[in-house]
Amino acid sequence: YDSWYYPHPPVYMPDACNLEDVKLIKKCVTKPVICAGKMGNPKYAAESISKGEIDAVGLARPLLCDPDWTKKVQKNDIEDIRPCISCQVGCLGRLVTTGGDMTCALNPTCCHEKELQFDKAPKSLKIVIVGGGIGGMEAARVSALRGHNVELFEKSDHLGGVFVPAASMTFKHEERRLIKWYERQMKINNVNVHLNTEATVENIKALNPDHVIVATGATTRYLKGIEGCENSNVIYAVDALNNRKSIGQNVVIIGAGLTGIEMAYELSKEGKKVQVVEMKNSYLDMPDLCMANAQMLKQIVKYYQIPVHLSSTLTKITPNSVEWTANNEKKSAPADTVIVSIGYISNKKLSE
């Protein structure tokens, strides 16, 4: 497709993105009209159908994410619907981009129901899970559903891990719903959550667990060896997302991966002047990023006229600028704030 993000709308498209157009079609035809395109939030389906604006909704990805979507809607158990976040990593991304078999990033049993089906365990065990991010909560949820006694340790005062700052961007409201969904799953499945508690070998042993699952995620990869990299105007992606007020008007983002480009989009919408510096000769260079998502982000970069400087070697950060070289030329850009988004390193400290 020239615009793949229309038939397969990613997270950057608004909910019910085709609804207004489909309502117009409904006025002009006598055949039943079905609306598809990010209709996973039941309120759009219920309101539009009840008003006679459309006849039905077409769902695909929401049913991969939660195959009981229709049953839960019928029971008005809306809070229990696991929301599709339109990441397209497990579904379209695997089918088209990486050539794998289809599944769902949030529902691993999707298309693997037989081999990954789980029942009650023959014996209830004590399971300790370290880390209250999405991975840790999913492990806790499944363990509890299988009948195990689950203790979950989270060193911060909230659940969600780095997914919380990631979900803070304005277009990621479904991610925020997902965090609430997981928090609810912890409660209704009686997972014993220990917030503000850092897991240690000692306090884990004190619980005498049968199994320990380490889900401590990853830590920020820090910029090193660059003059000025410790200046006060240098912050890292997670900190920037957690504290938007600290970001100035002229912003340079180091790193043109998914997080860096999404942040460039978010800040550009706020009216800030954003430039991106990337060492590779292409951006959004990620093997598992769905082509529809990448295509739309690149169109967004073009629309907001965000300069992305490729094949660039960072050389210096000053209190009000960033300097780099590209094709043996020295270049610079004004920067009240420098946001470093160069990836993460797996946190294996406890497991090792």
Side-chain angles (χ1 to χ4, degrees), residues 223 225-234 315-319 321 338:
L223 192 62
I226 302 297
E227 183 180 349
C229 66
E230 296 182 358
N231 289 352
S232 60
N233 63 331
V234 178
T315 56
K316 184 179 180 180
I317 300 172
T318 75
S321 70
V338 180

Side-chain angles (χ1 to χ4, degrees), residues 70-96:
T70 52
K71 293 180 182 178
K72 293 174 181 178
V73 170
Q74 287 176 331
K75 295 178 180 178
N76 199 31
D77 194 6
I78 307 301
E79 283 187 314
D80 200 40
I81 295 175
R82 176 166 44 199
C84 168
I85 60 174
S86 302
C87 66
Q88 310 202 107
V89 171
C91 52
L92 191 64
R94 283 180 62 88
L95 276 176
V96 179

Side-chain angles (χ1 to χ4, degrees), residues 109-129:
T109 61
C110 173
C111 298
H112 300 275
E113 287 80 4
K114 288 185 177 180
E115 61 265 42
L116 295 181
Q117 181 181 359
F118 58 86
D119 300 309
K120 288 287 185 180
K123 179 183 178 182
S124 179
L125 304 174
K126 176 169 281 190
I127 310 293
V128 169
I129 297 172

